[in-house]
Amino acid sequence: MKELTGRSPMKSPGKPSLRRDVERLFWREVAKGLSSEDAAAAVGVSPAAGTRWFRERGGMPTFLINPITGRYLSFEEREVIALLKAQGAGVREIARQTGRDASTISRELRRNAATRGGKLDYRASVAQWKAELMARRPKTAKLVANEQLHDYVQQRLSGQVRHADGTPVTGPQTATWKGRNKPHRQDRRWAQAWSPEQISNRLKLDFPDDESMRISHEAIYQALFVQSRGALQRELVACLRTGRALRVPRSRARQRAGGHVTPEVMISERPAEVEDRAVPGHWEGDLIIGTDRSAIGTIVERVTRFTMLIHLPRMDGYGIEPRTKNGPALAGYGAEAMRDAVAAQMTTLPEQLRCSLTWDRGKELAQHAQLKIDTGISVYFADPHSPWQRGTNENTNGLLRQYFPKGTDLSRWSDQDLQAVAAALNGRPRKTLGWKTPA
């Protein structure tokens, strides 16, 4: 076989793996913002294969986004070659029909043919698998070859925090890294935690004359996230500020869970009369958040700045029943609890003062359609990252922080306490109202 193919024997691992061009299509779908499972389904492979590709590359497509050049035979061309070969066409006939040089076809039929039966049998899938296997150019990572550079990077990334006299600081006790993201609301390991960009640029200052002590921040990220690199231990991703176990594609990072916000309830669809504040009855709302998942709802009228506070008591079982994924929201501001609380507050108003309500994009108002049915008030949502579109409410929330500071438990206040604070705010003269009060 070595004489026939002109290539050393290749051990067969069994069934040829999925083609590289399929994986390339997978990463293009991921770049559009799809999850690994959805991207796998889009290119016709199993969800397990998509998850494996994503984890092995640390969420990084590396070189797989750009299409291969026409210099190399594609899988489609190999299928044509296999078909013509099966029909008995010669090398020069195959070359004419594929637009390739005859020597290219001859070399392809010899090098990448299947040899298990003791003779050269050309099949497109096997030929593609062999070509991809031989095209790999494993390059030793710079952090593996340069021990001094490796030690420098690892020390700045995961080194100990020390006192002024040089003694190490123990820091909090943390759980063993489990291959996932940083623990939620738990202590994290204290480390020097320089970012890869800081390490890369600091090398130029610490070693101005040593060109071997150079590495890009992208190479450090790949050493952390890509399993095949092997230069840095994977658990060191916990020393990054984000603490992510995998990289997040940019398009996916821009997405926010907001399926409840449809085009017809965007702020751009709000009536024009709301902007000039000439007609009362248009409101803005949001939550102010405290510790231990406590919150207070705030609703402010745009013309008069009249403020109403919504009491959101915790539901039965909070702190007793274990939290379950996709289970009921027991903190008091789940979608159902929020709908009922807002409806109870708004129905105390005359009908002519229930025109519209503009809310932040939080999912606590996911049942806005039912709220409109119950109260007759139209609900609109602000654009992402645009708090100025609800400026009246944002300003009022700032005033309320005098009574409900950040970092305090807001669940300790009763409904009567909230109404007293609202009355104090509504009885305060306002410059924008000509020193009249909202009330």
Side-chain angles (χ1 to χ4, degrees):
M1 285 300 108
K2 183 176 180 181
E3 293 178 358
L4 284 174
T5 62
R7 170 178 289 167
S8 57
M10 299 174 63
K11 292 183 179 180
S12 174
K15 180 182 177 181
S17 60
L18 292 166
R19 301 191 307 275
R20 182 60 58 88
D21 55 344
V22 177
E23 188 177 354
R24 185 174 286 108
L25 293 174
F26 165 81
W27 283 107
R28 290 181 189 171
E29 296 299 321
V30 170
K32 296 177 184 178
L34 271 65
S35 66
S36 56
E37 292 83 1
D38 294 339
V43 300
V45 300
S46 67
T51 302
R52 184 176 67 252
W53 284 341
F54 195 86
R55 292 196 66 85
E56 286 178 351
R57 297 192 179 276
M60 303 166 61
T62 58
F63 60 90
L64 288 167
I65 289 294
N66 298 324
I68 58 174
T69 65
R71 173 186 174 187
Y72 305 99
L73 287 173
S74 65
F75 178 70
E76 290 74 15
E77 287 179 305
R78 288 190 168 94
E79 285 185 317
V80 174
I81 293 172
L83 182 62
L84 294 174
K85 182 75 167 55
Q87 294 174 353
V91 170
R92 295 191 181 278
E93 176 62 24
I94 297 174
R96 278 193 296 270
Q97 294 200 35
T98 57
R100 293 284 185 171
D101 192 87
S103 62
T104 300
I105 303 300
S106 176
R107 184 167 54 248
E108 172 67 18
L109 291 172
R110 185 178 72 254
R111 284 187 174 180
N112 294 329
T115 59
R116 176 169 291 183
K119 58 181 180 179
L120 301 183
D121 184 16
Y122 189 83
R123 294 194 295 272
S125 59
V126 175
Q128 182 71 20
W129 163 66
K130 286 192 172 186
E132 290 177 355
L133 199 62
M134 297 306 297
R136 293 177 180 174
R137 296 294 183 267
K139 183 180 178 181
T140 303
K142 197 170 186 179
L143 290 177
V144 174
N146 191 331
E147 186 175 352
Q148 182 184 7
L149 181 62
H150 173 275
D151 293 342
Y152 182 94
V153 172
Q154 182 160 298
Q155 172 62 27
R156 270 65 184 176
L157 186 67
S158 61
Q160 288 184 313
V161 176
R162 297 180 179 275
H163 291 292
D165 59 2
T167 57
V169 180
T170 304
Q173 293 292 326
T174 58
T176 305
W177 188 69
K178 298 179 180 179
R180 304 187 186 94
N181 288 352
K182 65 183 179 184
H184 182 62
R185 296 184 181 275
Q186 295 180 27
D187 288 325
R188 294 180 61 186
R189 173 190 167 189
W190 284 12
Q192 286 192 357
W194 287 21
S195 71
E197 187 177 14
Q198 289 170 338
I199 296 172
S200 176
N201 287 282
R202 183 67 185 190
L203 279 165
K204 300 172 185 176
L205 299 180
D206 291 346
F207 303 93
D209 302 323
D210 189 354
E211 290 297 324
S212 66
M213 297 294 288
R214 299 286 186 273
I215 191 170
S216 67
H217 63 274
E218 181 64 24
I220 300 175
Y221 277 120
Q222 290 192 17
L224 288 169
F225 287 114
V226 182
Q227 292 181 8
S228 60
R229 295 286 176 173
L232 296 172
Q233 295 179 342
R234 285 277 286 123
E235 55 263 31
L236 294 185
V237 296
C239 298
L240 297 175
R241 293 193 188 116
T242 61
R244 294 193 190 102
L246 297 172
R247 257 183 156 174
V248 180
R250 289 181 180 177
S251 54
R252 194 183 298 179
R254 296 190 190 105
Q255 296 176 349
R256 286 189 64 187
H260 62 290
V261 182
T262 53
E264 60 269 16
V265 295
M266 290 296 296
I267 195 171
S268 57
E269 301 299 317
R270 197 172 63 173
E273 67 179 19
V274 182
E275 288 297 325
D276 57 14
R277 301 178 189 265
V279 180
H282 298 284
W283 302 77
E284 296 176 1
D286 197 8
L287 297 177
I288 55 175
I289 304 296
T291 58
D292 298 326
R293 300 181 63 80
S294 58
I296 297 173
T298 65
I299 301 179
V300 189
E301 206 279 314
R302 283 175 56 83
V303 177
T304 62
R305 276 65 171 182
F306 187 84
T307 302
M308 295 190 297
L309 300 182
I310 302 177
H311 185 227
L312 299 171
R314 287 169 175 152
M315 303 180 71
D316 294 339
Y318 179 84
I320 302 173
E321 298 179 6
R323 291 181 60 185
T324 57
K325 187 175 182 180
N326 298 325
L330 303 179
Y333 53 96
E336 294 184 3
M338 198 69 201
R339 178 203 64 202
D340 295 340
V342 173
Q345 193 76 46
M346 299 304 290
T347 50
T348 62
L349 298 169
E351 186 176 352
Q352 63 269 26
L353 290 181
R354 302 199 300 262
C355 300
S356 74
L357 173 63
T358 304
W359 202 267
D360 192 21
R361 297 177 69 88
K363 299 198 75 173
E364 64 273 4
L365 217 64
Q367 297 198 10
H368 57 88
Q370 186 62 42
L371 177 64
K372 182 177 180 179
I373 295 173
D374 296 341
T375 64
I377 188 168
S378 299
V379 180
Y380 301 95
F381 292 92
D383 293 324
H385 313 296
S386 304
W388 61 87
Q389 294 177 342
R390 303 170 15 268
T392 302
N393 181 243
E394 290 289 331
N395 178 266
T396 303
N397 287 348
L399 300 178
L400 287 167
R401 285 299 185 183
Q402 178 180 353
Y403 302 94
F404 310 112
K406 292 182 179 180
T408 59
D409 185 5
L410 304 183
S411 64
R412 53 187 167 149
W413 307 115
S414 66
D415 186 37
Q416 291 75 17
D417 296 328
L418 300 189
Q419 302 315 315
V421 172
L425 210 61
N426 292 329
R428 184 186 296 178
R430 304 292 291 271
K431 181 179 180 180
T432 187
L433 300 177
W435 304 112
K436 296 179 181 179
T437 67

